[in-house]
Every structure is written in structure tokens, then in C-alpha cells.
Amino acid sequence: MAGKLKVTLVKSPIGAIPKQRATVEALGLRKMHKTVELPDNDAVRGMIWHVRHLVKVEEI
């Protein structure tokens, strides 16, 4: 797990619970359909798991 992940926000967090909204923001996703590259580690994977219904993930 030393690579990178490409994470894209595909669903709006407006209707999500506040903790999930904060997680999306902490991942660096502020607008719909924007993509960020993050390190592939356990902390990031855990954050993605909690908002997996809002994001799309690709391994790079």
C-alpha cells in the first residue's frame, strides 16, 4: 500500500450527516466532480470507507 489513490466526489454531501460532511472536507473535496490524489494508507482508506457512498476511488 505505497501507491496513491484518486478520489472523486460524485454525490453531494449536503444531505449527509455532519460527521460525513467533515470527512469529505478533510479529504480535500470541496466541489462536486473534483478529484484529489491522496496517499494509499490506512488512515485515508478509513476516511474513504466512511463516505464510500459519496466518492469514487481509483488506484494509481
Side-chain angles (χ1 to χ4, degrees):
M1 287 197 319
K4 290 195 171 263
L5 297 173
K6 191 185 283 190
V7 184
T8 306
L9 185 62
V10 294
K11 187 171 185 238
S12 175
I14 288 174
I17 62 175
K19 188 173 180 180
Q20 291 173 347
R21 242 181 282 164
T23 302
V24 168
E25 184 82 13
L27 285 169
L29 298 167
R30 284 155 179 67
K31 294 186 177 183
M32 287 289 298
H33 306 292
K34 295 298 177 182
T35 302
V36 293
E37 286 188 15
L38 300 167
D40 187 4
N41 58 39
D42 291 337
V44 172
R45 289 239 179 207
M47 292 170 75
I48 291 169
W49 186 84
H50 282 283
V51 294
R52 63 191 179 277
H53 58 289
L54 301 174
V55 298
K56 182 179 82 170
V57 181
E58 301 172 42
E59 292 185 11
I60 303 176

